[in-house]
């Protein structure tokens, strides 16, 4: 069964951004420090005292990002969302425009960072905000 | 591969709105406090007036930022307008990780702008923005929100800003970041104000690569595991720092009513347990911290003149605020105490300094050293409403008295008398621990005059038998030297149980830094000496340090303090450590 990343309880989010750092480290061969390669973003609602929001791919079954990708770098994934073929990405940023919830982020090298539903971040969320579940 | 010894330093000159980046090997100083000490020493004239354009602000982060959890403190170093010598304060929020993600190890700010501005650092670029319209907004929360709306980078940025206290050059004004974290102590807010710098925004999306990919992921997971499953952080995430109110009160160590007493009869009402039960609304974390120690209370306030109209304000509370605005002022109900905390947050004042100043003023009024013509308000222990107005007056400075009090309790007592009960050490208002000789000697010799310099209050509580003055001083300096490593790594002191020397050495390796535990400790001592040297060059004179008589009058849990003991300790400190740098 395919699995996707979902948000279990946003009210428990403390805004620590450990998910963002985990996302940057997700590749065992090529982990990054910092959050340029993070496909998840924790923001406050104009101050964390009002709570937080996590901006991350919702695993669309018909992903608009993939529909506008001219090089097939974003291919629909089984269970929802996309597979990102980084080598094919030319950094046109069409996908960034196409994503309704703004869950694709521009990296400093021009390519993009987005959630590939690997679930690595879930183990590093200290407060059970995230969930990796079967669909 | 990324070189963690090579430091990138952004220099900003506010006098001519220019900037440049310097790169150099400063690996021997690690980062944070270590490199800030060097950079301040190199870039500032030592005899400068702290509120003149010659003052320099250094912000520094460390090699673990943002590689590992808890390395989330930014060290700020400057000449303190409160103590007149070395100023240093640390703040979390997103400040450190934003600076590191923007690609910098340190930011050096010199000069002063002629008109109000705020500065935005966006990776390689620095923007100077007109802040004339923002100047005069006394509420630091509103300033933060306006800038948040105008600038990009939500989730990735820090917005450090001053409130009215900084603009008015209150010597204990702080700089707020992400609303609930502060460069609180020793007056950075006033230095911002003197430079007409309303805010500093840092936005970054940078990246670095470890030299050992596998090792990096393993060490990260190990640190995360210790942080989330061991007891190392427990004290901070459950009830939070206010968990100490009840036991310290039981111990007769909670300074009360300007330290007329060290026992507060209403302590239970303002204990961490009561706050957690009745007021705790949410917990939040600094960036890259799994612990989330920031405890936020919700306070629902009805409008008296309009039925069914309420406001709900969110207020961050901690041990030191409960002590300084609570027991120290005799305020024993939580709602009133939260209102005082909110007031201090809004103007951007250091809570400890504010509380101690007002406590001194209350006693001075009672003793007739000052009159109601000075205070304008009948200050009285326990009267929170009067204190709210007094805090307003510290900001408004309607007369000579408040102008003086805004310079700190040392200055006020020098002018009006009452030095024997003006509770500052080295010019810095005291924190909330009347625990014994260790606490006070710690404040006196600590390079920031802070309880966190050397944790003397903790030595007092842990020592099974009385140490000799020499043993005590050695222990304090040893602890302070080790803490130079933590603050050079910019690891939060609350995570000191996680980052043992062994773990630090292990965490260095995947970043390509080789250092043994012995070398690490030696580096701590080196940074300590360097900082002490700079403190002396900036005008600190140990022989002139004042010990308020009050501390000898109130019993500690080990009995009354002995002046001779403290004098012997200071003499030993002077010969063994102070004179040789």
């Amino acid at each position: 069964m395919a699995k996707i990343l979902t948000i279990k309880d946003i009210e428990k989010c403390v805004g620590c951004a450990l998910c963002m750092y985990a996302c940057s480290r997700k590749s065992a061969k090529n982990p990054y420090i910092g959050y340029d390669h993070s496909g998840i973003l924790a923001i406050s609602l104009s101050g964390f005292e009002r709570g937080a929001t996590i901006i991350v791919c919702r695993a669309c079954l018909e992903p608009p990002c993939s529909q506008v990708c001219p090089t097939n770098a974003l291919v629909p994934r089984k269970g929802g969302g996309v597979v990102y073929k980084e080598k094919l990405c030319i950094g046109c940023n069409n996908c960034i425009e196409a994503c309704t919830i703004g869950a694709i982020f521009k990296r400093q090298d021009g390519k993009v960072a987005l959630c590939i539903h690997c679930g690595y971040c879930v183990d590093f969320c200290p407060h059970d905000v995230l969930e990796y579940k079967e669909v | 591969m990324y070189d963690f010894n090579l430091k990138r330093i952004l220099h900003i000159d506010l006098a001519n709105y220019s900037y440049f980046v310097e790169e150099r090997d400063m690996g021997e100083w690690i980062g944070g406090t270590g490199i800030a000490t060097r950079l301040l020493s190199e870039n500032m004239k030592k005899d400068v007036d702290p509120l003149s354009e010659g003052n320099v602000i250094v912000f520094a982060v460390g090699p673990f930022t943002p590689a590992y959890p808890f390395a989330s403190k930014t060290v700020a170093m400057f000449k303190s307008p409160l103590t007149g010598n070395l100023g240093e304060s640390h703040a979390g929020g997103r400040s450190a990780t934003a600076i590191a993600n923007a690609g910098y190890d340190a930011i050096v700010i010199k000069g002063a702008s002629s008109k109000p501005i705020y500065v935005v650092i966006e990776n390689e670029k620095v923007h100077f923005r007109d802040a004339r319209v923002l100047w005069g907004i006394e509420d630091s929360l509103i300033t933060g929100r306006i800038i948040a709306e105008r600038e990009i980078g939500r989730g990735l940025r820090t917005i450090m800003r001053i409130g009215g206290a900084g603009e008015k050059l209150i010597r204990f004004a702080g700089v707020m970041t992400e609303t609930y974290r502060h460069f609180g102590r020793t007056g950075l807010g006033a230095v911002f104000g003197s430079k007409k710098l309303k805010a500093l925004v840092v936005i970054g999306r940078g990246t670095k690569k470890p030299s050992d990919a596998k090792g990096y992921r393993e060490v990260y997971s190990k640190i995360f595991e210790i942080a989330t499953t061991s007891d190392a952080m427990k004290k901070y995430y459950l009830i939070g720092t206010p968990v100490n109110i009840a036991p310290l009160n039981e111990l007769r160590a909670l300074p009360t009513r300007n330290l007329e007493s060290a026992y507060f009869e209403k302590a239970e009402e303002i204990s961490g347990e009561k706050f957690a039960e009745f007021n705790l609304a949410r917990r939040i974390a600094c960036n890259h911290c799994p612990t989330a120690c920031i405890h936020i209370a919700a306070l629902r306030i009805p409008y008296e003149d309009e039925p069914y109209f309420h406001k709900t304000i969110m207020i961050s509370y901690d041990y030191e605020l409960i002590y300084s605005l609570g027991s120290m002022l005799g305020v024993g109900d939580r709602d009133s105490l939260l209102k005082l905390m909110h007031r201090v947050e809004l103007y951007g004042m250091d809570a400890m300094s504010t509380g101690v100043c007002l406590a001194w003023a209350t006693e001075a009024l009672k003793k007739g050293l000052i009159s109601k013509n000075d205070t304008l308000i009948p200050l009285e222990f326990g009267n929170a409403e009067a204190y709210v107005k007094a805090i307003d007056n510290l900001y408004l400075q309607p007369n000579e008295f408040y102008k003086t009090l805004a310079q700190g309790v040392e200055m006020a007592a020098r002018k009006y008398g009452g030095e024997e009960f003006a509770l500052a050490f080295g010019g810095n208002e005291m924190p909330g621990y009347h625990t014994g000789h260790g606490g006070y000697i710690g404040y006196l010799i600590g390079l920031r005059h802070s309880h966190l310099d050397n944790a003397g209050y903790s030595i007092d509580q842990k020592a099974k038998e009385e140490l000799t003055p020499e043993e005590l001083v050695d222990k304090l300096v040893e602890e302070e030297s080790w803490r130079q490593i933590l603050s050079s790594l910019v690891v939060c002191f609350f995570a000191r149980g996680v980052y043992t020397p062994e773990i630090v050495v292990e965490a260095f390796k995947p970043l390509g830094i080789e250092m043994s535990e012995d070398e690490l400790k030696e580096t701590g001592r080196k940074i300590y000496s360097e900082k002490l040297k700079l403190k002396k060059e900036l005008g600190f004179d140990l022989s002139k340090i004042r010990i308020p008589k009050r501390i000898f009058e109130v019993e500690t849990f080990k009995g009354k303090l002995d002046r001779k003991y403290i004098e012997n300790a200071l003499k030993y400190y002077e010969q063994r450590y102070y004179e040789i740098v």
Side-chain angles (χ1 to χ4, degrees):
Chain A
M1 284 289 266
K3 283 182 153 189
I4 61 164
L5 176 73
T6 58
I7 293 162
K8 194 159 102 189
D9 183 2
I10 190 62
E11 289 300 332
K12 280 188 85 186
C13 179
V14 297
C16 69
L18 258 78
C19 54
M20 295 166 66
Y21 294 108
C23 188
S24 299
R25 285 194 319 280
K26 63 184 174 284
S27 160
K29 274 192 196 149
N30 212 0
Y32 290 95
I33 295 168
Y35 34 48
D36 195 35
H37 286 71
S38 171
I40 183 166
L41 178 68
I43 60 164
S44 74
L45 301 173
S46 193
F48 275 112
E49 72 276 17
R50 291 178 167 73
T53 285
I54 291 181
I55 300 179
V56 67
C57 172
R58 291 202 67 235
C60 307
L61 293 173
E62 281 181 37
C65 57
S66 133
Q67 289 166 349
V68 298
C69 179
T71 60
N72 279 330
L74 298 171
V75 186
R77 170 186 172 274
K78 202 179 149 200
V82 288
V83 175
Y84 179 41
K85 296 180 178 172
E86 195 177 309
K87 276 186 189 163
L88 300 179
C89 176
I90 54 170
C92 70
N93 296 329
N94 284 355
C95 56
I96 294 176
E97 295 287 322
C99 179
T100 316
I101 58 169
I104 302 180
F105 309 96
K106 187 173 179 158
R107 292 189 337 216
Q108 280 190 316
D109 64 4
K111 299 205 181 206
V112 296
L114 78 168
C115 174
I116 53 168
H117 297 277
C118 70
Y120 188 72
C121 57
V122 177
D123 291 339
F124 291 94
C125 174
H127 305 287
D128 262 348
V129 176
L130 304 172
E131 190 177 14
Y132 196 43
K133 67 174 187 190
E134 290 187 356
V135 284
Chain B
M1 218 45 63
Y2 193 85
D3 182 351
F4 284 84
N5 289 316
L6 193 69
K7 305 294 180 189
R8 285 189 88 231
I9 303 141
L10 173 64
H11 290 262
I12 297 175
D13 191 343
L14 298 178
N16 50 27
Y17 311 112
S18 64
Y19 63 97
F20 67 93
V21 177
E22 174 194 12
E23 281 191 20
R24 63 192 244 226
D25 188 333
M26 292 184 84
E28 63 170 313
W29 300 101
I30 297 180
T33 293
I35 62 172
T37 303
R38 296 295 304 162
L39 291 170
L40 188 66
S41 180
E42 287 169 16
N43 286 283
M44 186 177 71
K45 274 197 190 157
K46 306 295 188 303
D47 59 351
V48 75
D49 172 352
L51 294 179
S52 73
E53 63 176 349
N55 202 350
V56 170
I57 302 165
V58 181
F59 289 110
V61 301
F64 286 177
T65 325
Y68 298 113
F70 301 118
S72 303
K73 291 279 189 178
T74 302
V75 169
M77 225 181 253
F78 47 94
K79 191 164 182 183
S80 166
L82 182 66
T83 68
N85 56 76
L86 185 70
E88 181 183 347
S89 56
H90 305 168
R94 267 195 224 109
S95 61
T97 52
I99 292 170
N101 275 302
Y104 301 106
D105 297 283
I107 300 167
V108 177
I109 301 174
K110 55 167 69 173
S113 176
S114 54
K115 293 278 171 79
I117 51 154
Y118 72 93
V119 172
V120 179
I121 300 169
E122 192 191 334
N123 286 105
E124 295 301 314
K125 283 185 221 138
V126 177
H127 309 279
F128 298 92
R129 309 259 207 252
D130 182 5
R132 285 174 300 172
V133 174
L134 299 179
W135 203 256
I137 297 177
E138 73 271 20
D139 187 336
S140 66
L141 291 98
I142 290 174
T143 304
R145 266 182 221 143
I146 293 171
I147 294 173
E149 290 290 320
R150 278 178 63 83
E151 300 295 337
I152 62 159
R154 59 183 193 158
L156 309 171
R157 66 189 174 193
T158 184
I159 303 177
M160 306 176 192
R161 71 274 189 179
I162 56 170
E167 286 188 19
K168 285 289 191 73
L169 308 181
I170 295 176
R171 306 271 176 133
F172 46 86
V175 172
M176 262 59 53
T177 179
E178 286 65 78
T179 310
Y180 295 117
R181 297 294 91 190
H182 317 84
F183 293 96
R185 310 238 67 193
T186 65
L188 180 62
V191 181
F192 263 52
S194 71
K195 294 183 177 305
K196 292 271 193 298
L197 180 60
K198 184 70 174 170
L200 176 68
V201 183
V202 186
I203 308 157
R205 244 198 111 81
T207 201
K208 290 172 192 168
K209 274 185 157 189
S211 49
D212 169 11
K214 188 163 168 269
Y216 170 56
R217 293 219 314 177
E218 279 168 11
V219 175
Y220 189 104
S221 294
K222 183 172 174 180
I223 292 169
F224 179 78
E225 190 74 13
I226 300 170
T228 51
T229 59
S230 77
D231 280 347
M233 302 303 295
K234 202 169 173 180
K235 168 172 153 196
Y236 302 106
Y237 65 76
L238 295 177
I239 290 170
T241 57
V243 75
N244 281 332
I245 292 284
L248 281 167
N249 193 49
E250 280 309 306
L251 202 62
R252 305 297 194 265
L254 180 67
T256 300
R257 292 182 291 269
N258 203 36
L259 199 58
E260 277 175 358
S261 166
Y263 177 81
F264 188 35
E265 62 289 350
K266 294 179 183 162
E268 204 198 320
E269 272 310 296
I270 56 170
S271 65
E273 290 78 0
K274 284 277 163 103
F275 270 102
E277 189 179 349
F278 296 105
N279 306 89
L280 179 61
R282 193 179 276 284
R283 271 174 43 206
I284 53 182
C286 290
N287 192 269
H288 217 172
C289 170
T291 302
C293 81
I294 308 168
H295 286 56
I296 307 285
L299 179 63
R300 184 164 167 259
I301 308 171
Y303 282 80
E304 280 167 16
D305 49 355
E306 225 177 325
Y308 300 105
F309 221 85
H310 286 72
K311 63 178 169 187
T312 301
I313 49 176
M314 308 292 269
I315 303 140
S316 157
Y317 64 92
D318 261 303
Y319 174 81
E320 297 297 346
L321 289 88
I322 298 176
Y323 137 70
S324 57
L325 301 170
S327 65
M328 197 62 163
L329 296 178
V331 173
D333 77 282
R334 289 188 308 281
D335 283 8
S336 299
L337 181 45
L338 286 169
K339 283 180 197 166
L340 288 171
M341 290 179 193
H342 181 68
R343 214 73 191 157
V344 163
E345 176 91 45
L346 180 154
Y347 290 125
M349 296 173 187
D350 179 65
M352 280 185 256
S353 291
T354 307
V356 170
C357 282
L358 294 178
W360 167 85
T362 308
E363 186 167 343
L365 180 66
K366 201 158 77 177
K367 294 212 155 90
L369 297 174
I370 50 175
S371 75
K372 237 188 88 183
N373 288 334
D374 296 308
T375 62
L376 306 173
I377 299 149
L379 297 178
E380 181 190 14
F381 288 123
N383 183 347
E385 268 179 49
Y387 289 126
V388 167
K389 287 181 193 147
I391 291 169
D392 288 344
N393 279 341
L394 273 173
Y395 164 65
L396 295 166
Q397 298 173 23
N399 62 11
E400 196 52 37
F401 174 73
Y402 282 102
K403 280 192 180 79
T404 309
L405 195 58
Q407 295 181 50
V409 80
E410 191 81 35
M411 194 63 97
R414 205 174 294 157
K415 181 161 176 181
Y416 295 97
E419 287 189 309
E420 60 281 12
F421 56 85
L423 291 159
F425 297 85
N428 196 20
E429 286 76 13
M430 79 175 277
Y433 305 92
H434 183 65
T435 49
H437 292 121
Y440 287 108
I441 295 165
Y443 309 154
L444 289 163
I445 67 173
L447 300 183
R448 302 186 290 148
H449 307 291
S450 157
H451 61 298
L452 290 173
D453 282 336
N454 42 39
Y457 65 99
S458 168
I459 296 174
D460 284 336
Q461 292 173 75
K462 282 181 190 150
K464 294 212 170 58
E465 50 205 80
E466 185 80 358
L467 302 166
T468 66
E470 293 79 14
E471 285 168 346
L472 180 60
V473 166
D474 285 340
K475 254 179 141 37
L476 289 167
V477 174
E478 191 193 325
E479 180 64 24
E480 187 157 353
S481 298
W482 170 247
R483 288 185 178 214
Q484 301 314 305
I485 293 296
L486 295 177
S487 61
S488 296
L489 293 165
V490 301
V491 164
C492 178
F493 286 168
F494 290 177
R496 60 188 179 271
V498 176
Y499 282 93
T500 58
E502 193 190 341
I503 291 283
V504 172
V505 166
E506 212 180 320
F508 268 155
K509 283 199 181 110
L511 307 182
I513 303 172
E514 290 293 336
M515 209 184 258
S516 69
E517 284 183 42
D518 286 342
E519 284 171 313
L520 194 61
K521 286 178 186 163
E522 191 47 44
T523 303
R525 286 188 278 269
K526 186 174 88 172
I527 295 169
Y528 175 85
S529 295
E530 195 70 11
K531 203 160 106 177
L532 175 55
K533 187 165 151 249
L534 177 60
K535 188 175 170 71
K536 284 168 73 176
E537 286 169 358
L538 292 175
F540 178 65
D541 184 349
L542 185 69
S543 70
K544 294 211 174 110
I545 207 153
R546 185 180 64 84
I547 307 172
K549 204 171 126 214
R550 172 60 45 83
I551 68 168
F552 300 105
E553 296 166 355
V554 183
E555 295 259 350
T556 72
F557 70 99
K558 288 178 186 162
K560 283 193 178 164
L561 298 177
D562 175 5
R563 184 181 280 275
K564 197 82 205 139
Y565 183 103
I566 296 183
E567 282 168 0
N568 285 340
L570 289 178
K571 201 179 292 164
Y572 173 72
Y573 172 73
E574 186 172 4
Q575 289 162 358
R576 174 80 175 76
Y577 300 100
Y578 183 79
E579 275 175 357
I580 59 168
V581 300

